[in-house]
């Protein structure tokens, strides 16, 4: 396992997608050198905004794709099932036109990096296996095992064409059981259980079309909550604008919500049809303040031509180009046609292009910029992150996701006044520019973002009296501009160091350490500052910084060990004569086991692959698991790193995590309290935590675990993985570890979940000692040839040793050559 606790976050906006159109100064400062494709995206999460549009389908959010599934078993459902679903993740081929009724087939894609259950959809009439996309993840999850065991065959056809070129494609898939008389009873029973599971999913009553009325109700719930609790953050104009939404007719509200949640931005009015909207054209006219319209009367043309062109299909673009050029065009691919038409329009040779487009599309509509930005802001204030949107409501409505029950008791506002929100959103805008500039290798804009962030961080903020009892909680700090700018500057430091601009890196790190007095990144900043000072030939100052890092209460776990090792290395006589008290603890012996493996590859930098004990290829961790199951002592186990421990923590501390504490829950869509990864988590619940730990120490852990599992199975909770860690494994671990050691470990996580949620040993092993239920457990960190323990891994091993765990390092070396 690789654990790099000393590296900064790779993306400043991993959880901060989108931004409000803040101050004009930032645009003036940054956009002058913005790359052509680095403009800010629309103010909504592009990964989750593809709503379901086809009849007999429902929306499922699966991280990067919106999925639709519905199924209608045939009468003979014991052997054949017809599933109405869609193709998602489409790879559009400009030279390949979809046709309604065309045949399709499916094939497994087990090597898919994002989903090992992935199922590809292919054009059945293609000799070269023309790929059309994938089946939805929820369907693939139950279909993949059946395909892997060759228990079924699947074929189907395209049931309809999408409104937009890259929209999900409606298909009907027929799945038929295969007959095999040579199977043994156990295999047949296993496959039959998979088939019944598949039938249960496709027959599930939750798989119904989410109506426009449901979207409308969810949108109004969200809007009402934000306008009730955050009115002080909006101007009078914005409040009036958002407030007028409730005066719209049902048709108007439903049409707006539907086009907002769909990818566009433009939609042909003639192609919009929903059974819950009686008059689409009238609804569109009612929405004149909320949408933009493209029609033949647009003179001068004020819209983005490329966006309008994207409404056209490839055949339509070909026809327009043929009309304009009066000759045969060689352009066949979509991007070629788009580029040619755009070039003709931009150079002034085709001013009639808007009218030609309108001839094919008719009136088109899109959400206006003001409405788009304000609704995005409403979503952001409601969910308090950039990952969730209206689809979260649907996941709950459809029973696909269940959030835990808790009480929302909000006493303090996250944003005290409008200016706090504007500063925060401006910081996110800079963070987005920073990410895009790094992706495009635009170092000039990276430098501008870094300079602006440094300037903002050094600007004195309004003074707040933290001694007041009514001051906001410290865990609200992640919603401040300071928090965002510190992330941007952390990336800036990495750029400086890569370019060997150590003086700039040192200046920036000193600013960060002086302006951000607390936080999890102080360990990284201090370590980099000490290293960069040594690069500059200033070893005494480097040593002083490392010594300060050792005593900094915010530097913990692996970061603290890294500081201690630097002090020991730099602090030798004559710089320092006294040996630090922690010197001996860093030299403690860690138990090691050495095994040999036959390598399958010997490429430098490539992941190690070995021949396992069973002759199959495997990774280094799987090889170690096979060793411990055989020669190593008959252990059962799992390669979980910290996953199974996080699951155990969530299950045994469920009532603690979701107990009533002020300001930690703001909506019903949270999987953990806002203070979960802060010091406040333990402080605010100390008595309740210690009560739970006392019960665990007294031997009640297994009983508590079973009860929690039965009560909450399937409910989302931070760290709990219901699918990966079955109940039997979790119970075996709890039994093997014992109440005393388990209580110590869980207290350690409760005190500082953030610092200790990574770096745990790769393998968790257990074995039963006798028929009466006695068990023991072992933790193993596995290292391949030339791999070394990281400081975070070393910190965890030391902690586990202190708690009395059986922990060791398993080193895998290459099989020695026989003489």
């Amino acid at each position: 396992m690789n654990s790099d606790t000393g590296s900064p976050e790779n993306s400043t906006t991993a959880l901060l997608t989108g931004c409000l159109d803040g101050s004009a100064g930032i645009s003036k400062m940054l956009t002058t050198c913005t790359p052509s494709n680095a403009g800010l995206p629309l103010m909504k999460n592009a990964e989750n905004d593809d709503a379901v549009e086809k009849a007999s389908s429902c929306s499922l959010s699966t991280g990067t794709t919106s999925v639709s599934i519905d199924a209608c078993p045939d009468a003979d459902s014991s052997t054949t099932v017809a599933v109405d679903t869609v193709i998602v993740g489409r790879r559009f081929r400009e030279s390949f036109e979809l046709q309604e009724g065309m045949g399709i087939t499916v094939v497994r894609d087990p090597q898919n990096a994002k989903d090992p259950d992935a199922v590809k959809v292919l054009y059945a009439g293609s000799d070269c296996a023309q790929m059309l996309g994938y089946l939805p993840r929820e369907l693939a999850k139950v279909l993949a095992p059946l395909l892997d065991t060759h228990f079924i065959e699947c074929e189907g056809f395209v049931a309809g064409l999408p409104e937009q070129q890259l929209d999900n494609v409606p298909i009907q898939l027929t799945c038929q059981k295969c007959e095999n008389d040579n199977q043994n009873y156990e295999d047949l029973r296993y496959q039959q259980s998979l088939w019944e599971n598949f039938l249960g999913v496709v027959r599930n009553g939750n798989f119904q079309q989410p109506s426009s009325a449901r979207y409308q109700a969810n949108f109004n719930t969200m809007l009402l909550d934000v306008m009730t609790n955050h009115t002080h953050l909006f101007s009078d104009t914005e409040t009036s604008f958002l407030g007028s939404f409730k005066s719209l007719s049902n048709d108007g509200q439903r049409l707006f919500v539907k086009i907002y949640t769909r990818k566009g931005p433009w939609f042909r009015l003639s192609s919009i049809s929903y059974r819950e909207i009686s008059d689409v054209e009238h609804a569109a006219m009612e929405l004149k303040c909320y949408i933009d319209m493209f029609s033949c009367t647009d003179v001068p043309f004020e819209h983005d031509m490329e966006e309008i062109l994207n409404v056209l299909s490839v055949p339509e673009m070909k026809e327009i180009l043929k009309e304009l050029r009066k000759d045969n065009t060689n352009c066949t691919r979509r991007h070629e046609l788009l580029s040619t038409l755009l070039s003709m329009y931009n150079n002034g040779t085709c001013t009639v292009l808007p009218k030609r487009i309108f001839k094919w599309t008719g009136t088109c509509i899109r959400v206006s910029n003001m409405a788009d930005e304000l609704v995005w802001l409403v979503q952001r204030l409601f969910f308090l992150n950039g990952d969730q949107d209206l689809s979260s409501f649907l996941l709950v409505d459809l029973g696909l996701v269940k959030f835990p029950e808790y009480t929302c008791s909000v006493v303090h506002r996250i944003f005290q006044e409008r200016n706090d929100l504007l500063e925060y959103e401006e910081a996110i805008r800079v963070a987005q520019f920073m990410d895009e500039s790094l992706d495009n290798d635009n170092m000039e804009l990276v430098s501008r973002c870094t300079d602006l962030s440094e300037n903002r961080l050094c600007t004195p903020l309004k003074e707040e009296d933290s001694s007041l009892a009514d001051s906001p909680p410290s865990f609200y700090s992640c919603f401040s501009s300071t928090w965002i700018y510190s992330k941007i500057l952390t990336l800036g430091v990495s750029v400086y160091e890569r370019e060997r601009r150590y003086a700039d890196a040192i200046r920036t790190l000193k600013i960060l350490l002086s302006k951000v007095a607390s936080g999890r990144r102080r360990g990284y900043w201090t370590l980099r500052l000490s290293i960069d000072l040594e690069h500059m030939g200033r070893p005494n100052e480097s040593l002083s910084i490392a010594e300060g890092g050792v005593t900094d209460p915010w530097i913990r776990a692996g970061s603290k060990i890294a500081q201690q090792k630097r002090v020991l290395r730099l602090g030798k006589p004559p710089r320092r004569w006294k040996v630090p008290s922690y010197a001996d603890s860093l030299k403690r012996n860690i138990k090691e086991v050495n095994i040999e493996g036959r390598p399958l590859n010997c490429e430098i930098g490539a992941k190690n692959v070995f021949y396992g004990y069973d002759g199959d290829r495997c990774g280094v961790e799987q090889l170690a698991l096979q060793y411990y199951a055989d020669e190593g002592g008959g252990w059962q186990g799992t390669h979980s790193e910290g996953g199974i421990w996080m699951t155990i923590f969530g299950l045994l501390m469920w009532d603690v995590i979701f107990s009533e504490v002020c300001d930690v829950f703001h909506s019903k869509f949270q999987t953990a309290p806002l203070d979960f990864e802060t010091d406040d988590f333990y402080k605010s619940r100390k008595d309740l935590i210690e009560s739970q730990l006392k019960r665990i120490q007294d031997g009640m852990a297994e009983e508590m675990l079973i009860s929690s599992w039965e009560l909450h199975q399937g409910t989302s909770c931070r760290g709990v993985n219901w699918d990966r860690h079955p109940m039997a494994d979790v119970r075996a671990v709890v039994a093997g570890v014992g109440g005393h050691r388990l209580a110590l470990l869980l207290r350690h996580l409760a005190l500082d979940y953030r610092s200790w949620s990574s770096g745990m040993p790769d393998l968790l092993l257990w074995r039963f000692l006798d028929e009466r239920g006695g068990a023991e457990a072992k933790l193993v960190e596995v290292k391949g040839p030339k791999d070394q323990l990281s400081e975070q891994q070393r910190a965890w091993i030391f902690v586990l040793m202190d708690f009395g765990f059986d922990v060791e390092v398993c080193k895998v070396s290459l099989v020695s050559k026989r003489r």
Side-chain angles (χ1 to χ4, degrees):
M1 182 193 78
N2 295 323
S3 178
D4 186 6
T5 59
S7 62
E9 291 85 345
N10 292 328
S11 169
T12 60
T13 53
L15 299 177
L16 302 167
T17 340
C19 65
L20 182 67
D21 190 6
S23 64
I26 189 169
S27 297
K28 292 179 181 178
M29 187 164 192
L30 297 178
T31 55
T32 53
C33 60
T34 306
S36 59
N37 61 344
L40 283 174
L42 287 176
M43 310 301 161
K44 51 187 173 182
N45 190 343
E47 294 184 346
N48 293 318
D49 62 358
D50 189 13
V52 176
E53 308 304 334
K54 305 301 177 186
S56 304
S57 61
C58 75
S59 176
L60 312 173
S61 175
T62 56
T64 59
T65 309
S66 290
V67 181
S68 304
I69 300 176
D70 186 31
C72 308
D74 286 347
D76 185 13
S77 58
S78 61
T79 59
T80 304
V81 168
V83 184
D84 290 317
T85 181
V86 294
I87 303 174
V88 300
R90 285 195 59 209
R91 297 180 178 180
F92 182 78
R93 310 281 180 169
E94 283 74 6
S95 59
F96 186 81
E97 290 294 328
L98 289 171
Q99 295 180 1
E100 192 166 351
M102 64 182 286
I104 58 171
T105 185
V106 298
V107 64
R108 283 279 286 116
D109 184 15
Q111 304 304 318
N112 190 293
K114 294 184 178 180
D115 181 12
D117 294 324
V119 178
K120 294 191 288 190
V121 181
L122 308 178
Y123 170 41
S126 173
D127 294 332
C128 58
Q130 177 76 51
M131 179 176 172
L132 303 178
Y134 290 89
L135 288 182
R137 182 171 299 190
E138 289 296 317
L139 179 58
K141 184 177 180 179
V142 293
L143 198 58
L146 292 167
L147 293 171
D148 290 340
T149 56
H150 307 289
F151 189 65
I152 63 171
E153 292 180 348
C154 299
E155 60 181 15
F157 61 90
V158 174
L161 299 181
E163 296 174 11
Q164 303 293 325
Q165 293 291 342
L166 293 179
D167 279 355
N168 296 342
V169 180
I171 61 172
Q172 185 173 104
L173 194 66
T174 300
C175 305
Q176 184 170 3
K177 288 166 51 173
C178 302
E179 295 184 4
N180 187 347
D181 297 332
N182 296 323
Q183 286 181 304
N184 60 48
Y185 174 74
E186 288 300 323
D187 288 343
L188 187 60
R189 190 171 70 168
Y190 170 68
Q191 290 177 331
Q192 185 62 31
S193 69
L194 294 176
W195 175 253
E196 291 173 359
N197 182 45
F198 169 66
L199 291 180
V201 169
V202 299
R203 287 170 173 164
N204 192 321
N206 286 325
F207 289 92
Q208 302 296 326
Q209 164 71 9
S211 67
S212 298
R214 183 180 289 173
Y215 281 98
Q216 174 195 9
N218 293 336
F219 184 87
N220 280 311
T221 297
M222 179 181 69
L223 186 60
L224 176 63
D225 179 272
V226 171
M227 297 311 295
T228 300
N229 298 311
H230 303 283
T231 308
H232 64 291
L233 300 177
F234 296 93
S235 67
D236 292 341
T237 301
E238 293 166 344
T239 301
S240 176
F241 183 87
L242 292 171
S244 66
F245 185 81
K246 63 183 179 183
S247 66
L248 296 174
S249 67
N250 284 333
D251 279 0
Q253 290 187 13
R254 291 168 185 174
L255 178 60
F256 175 81
V257 175
K258 292 297 284 186
I259 64 174
Y260 178 80
T261 53
R262 285 180 54 188
K263 288 180 180 178
W266 289 97
F267 306 95
R268 304 184 197 209
L269 192 60
S270 61
S271 66
I272 299 176
S273 177
Y274 301 108
R275 61 179 179 271
E276 298 89 357
I277 302 176
S278 58
D279 191 336
V280 172
E281 290 190 9
H282 183 270
M285 295 304 297
E286 187 184 6
L287 288 172
K288 58 184 178 180
C289 294
Y290 294 84
I291 64 175
D292 295 330
M293 281 195 176
F294 160 61
S295 67
C296 61
T297 60
D298 290 341
V299 180
F301 187 75
E302 298 177 347
H303 306 302
D304 186 304
M305 177 54 69
E306 185 173 356
E307 291 180 351
I308 292 290
L309 285 170
N310 274 315
V311 179
L312 297 169
S313 66
V314 168
E316 288 170 340
M317 281 193 279
K318 287 180 179 179
E319 287 299 321
I320 291 175
L321 194 57
K322 188 184 299 183
E323 292 174 7
L324 294 174
R325 295 174 58 166
K326 304 298 182 183
D327 59 7
N328 293 326
T329 176
N330 294 323
C331 298
T332 57
R333 293 183 174 275
R334 182 177 184 80
H335 69 87
E336 294 173 342
L337 293 163
L338 187 65
S339 177
T340 301
L341 288 170
L342 202 56
S343 176
M344 292 172 63
Y345 178 77
N346 289 336
N347 64 23
T349 61
C350 185
T351 56
V352 298
L353 183 57
K355 291 185 178 180
R356 301 284 182 165
I357 296 173
F358 180 79
K359 173 185 173 183
W360 287 93
T361 65
T363 301
C364 296
I365 63 173
R366 71 170 181 184
V367 176
S368 69
N369 288 336
M370 181 176 182
D372 190 72
E373 291 170 5
L374 283 177
V375 174
W376 177 89
L377 180 59
V378 167
Q379 285 190 145
R380 187 56 175 272
L381 289 170
F382 183 79
F383 292 107
L384 295 178
N385 61 66
D387 287 343
Q388 293 174 298
D389 57 19
L390 280 169
S391 64
S392 297
F393 280 96
L394 287 177
L395 295 175
V396 174
D397 292 342
L398 298 167
L400 301 171
V401 172
K402 182 181 179 182
F403 288 94
E405 295 180 1
Y406 47 76
T407 301
C408 295
S409 177
V410 180
V411 177
H412 299 95
R413 293 170 170 172
I414 289 180
F415 301 104
Q416 299 298 307
E417 55 189 50
R418 178 179 173 84
N419 197 52
D420 294 335
L421 175 62
L422 294 179
E423 289 176 354
Y424 176 64
E425 296 302 332
E426 180 193 74
I428 292 177
R429 175 181 287 268
V430 180
Q432 286 186 314
F433 270 106
M434 183 72 166
D435 281 346
E436 292 163 1
S437 304
L438 287 170
D439 289 342
N440 297 320
D441 201 28
N442 187 335
M443 290 300 106
E444 182 180 357
L445 190 53
V446 167
S447 180
R448 286 174 180 262
C449 290
T450 305
D451 291 344
L452 178 59
S453 300
E454 185 175 316
N455 179 268
R456 292 286 192 269
L457 201 59
C458 291
T459 301
L461 302 174
K462 64 178 182 180
E463 294 185 3
E464 295 182 359
D465 190 351
S466 59
S467 64
L468 294 177
D470 200 39
S471 60
S474 59
F475 54 83
Y476 278 4
S477 62
C478 63
F479 299 104
S480 67
S481 59
T482 297
W483 189 79
I484 304 297
Y485 286 129
S486 69
K487 295 187 75 175
I488 298 170
L489 288 179
T490 302
L491 282 178
V493 167
S494 298
V495 173
Y496 288 148
E497 292 177 333
R498 190 174 62 204
E499 298 177 350
R500 289 184 167 81
R501 296 167 57 183
Y502 297 119
D504 290 330
I506 289 169
R507 183 193 72 252
T508 304
L509 288 165
K510 287 184 175 180
I511 290 173
L512 286 167
L513 288 167
S514 65
K515 297 297 181 180
V516 185
S518 62
R520 60 179 179 265
R521 290 189 291 269
R522 285 186 64 84
Y524 174 78
W525 298 336
T526 304
L527 179 62
R528 297 315 308 174
L529 179 56
S530 177
I531 292 172
D532 291 341
L533 285 168
E534 188 177 10
H535 284 317
M536 293 290 288
R538 296 151 66 178
N540 290 326
E541 189 177 353
S542 174
L543 174 58
S544 297
I545 292 296
E547 289 175 329
V550 171
T551 59
D552 189 328
W554 291 100
I555 299 179
R556 304 163 184 174
S559 295
K560 187 168 186 175
I561 287 184
Q563 309 286 347
Q564 292 173 336
K565 292 178 74 172
R566 284 195 64 77
V567 171
L568 291 178
R569 186 175 65 81
L570 295 172
K572 296 177 181 178
R575 290 197 189 100
R576 298 289 188 272
W577 293 93
K578 185 177 179 179
V579 178
S581 58
Y582 49 78
D584 290 338
S585 66
L586 295 180
K587 298 176 182 177
R588 281 187 290 177
N589 290 325
I590 299 174
K591 182 180 176 183
E592 290 186 2
V593 171
N594 293 278
I595 65 174
E596 292 185 338
R598 292 185 298 144
L600 186 65
N601 64 332
C602 298
E603 299 175 13
I604 298 176
K607 184 176 178 62
N608 292 313
V609 179
F610 294 88
Y611 288 104
Y613 283 63
D614 55 3
D616 292 336
R617 64 180 63 187
C618 64
V620 66
E621 294 87 2
Q622 287 70 33
L623 182 67
L625 277 173
Q626 293 179 21
Y627 162 78
Y628 281 103
D630 188 11
E631 300 175 19
W635 296 88
Q636 300 178 58
T638 177
H639 172 211
S640 67
E641 299 180 6
I644 197 166
W645 292 112
M646 302 305 109
T647 295
I648 292 172
F649 181 86
L651 290 171
L652 293 180
M653 290 290 172
W654 193 284
D655 292 340
V656 173
I657 295 170
F658 299 107
S659 59
E660 184 174 352
V661 176
C662 291
D663 297 322
V664 299
F665 294 111
H666 285 248
S667 81
K668 65 177 183 179
F669 297 98
Q670 293 178 226
T671 58
L674 292 180
D675 66 346
F676 189 54
E677 297 184 357
T678 72
D679 291 2
D680 292 287
F681 179 77
Y682 181 85
K683 293 176 183 177
S684 300
R685 305 164 181 81
K686 181 177 179 180
D687 292 343
L688 187 55
I689 290 173
E690 292 301 328
S691 175
Q692 289 289 87
L693 294 177
K694 179 65 167 58
R695 295 175 64 198
I696 292 169
Q697 190 166 351
D698 290 344
M700 299 180 64
E702 194 168 355
E703 179 184 338
M704 293 165 62
L705 185 74
I706 295 171
S707 175
S708 182
W709 186 285
E710 292 176 347
L711 284 173
H712 308 298
Q713 186 176 10
T715 302
S716 298
C717 173
R718 181 90 55 84
V720 176
N721 191 325
W722 299 101
D723 296 327
R724 185 175 181 185
H725 307 297
M727 178 63 165
D729 288 0
V730 178
R731 286 184 64 182
V733 171
V734 169
V737 169
H740 176 70
R741 288 189 292 268
L742 184 58
L744 290 173
L745 178 59
L746 297 184
R747 179 183 290 109
H748 199 66
L749 289 172
L751 284 165
D752 189 2
Y753 190 93
R754 176 70 190 187
S755 296
W756 295 98
S757 59
S758 64
M760 294 193 77
D762 295 313
L763 308 184
L764 179 52
L765 310 174
W766 62 87
R767 63 183 176 188
F768 297 99
L769 302 178
D770 51 52
E771 296 179 354
R772 292 174 295 177
E776 59 181 342
K778 179 195 292 283
L779 292 96
V780 181
E781 178 63 41
V782 183
K783 288 298 171 187
K786 301 181 181 179
D787 287 344
Q788 300 292 326
L789 287 173
S790 71
E791 307 306 351
Q792 179 72 6
Q793 291 166 345
R794 193 176 298 274
W796 254 121
I797 290 174
F798 287 158
V799 165
L800 292 169
M801 290 169 61
D802 291 340
F803 290 167
F805 281 83
D806 182 5
V807 58
E808 64 192 33
V809 175
C810 176
K811 291 189 174 181
V812 180
S813 58
L814 304 182
V815 174
S816 57
K817 295 181 180 180
R818 296 182 178 179
R819 297 183 179 179

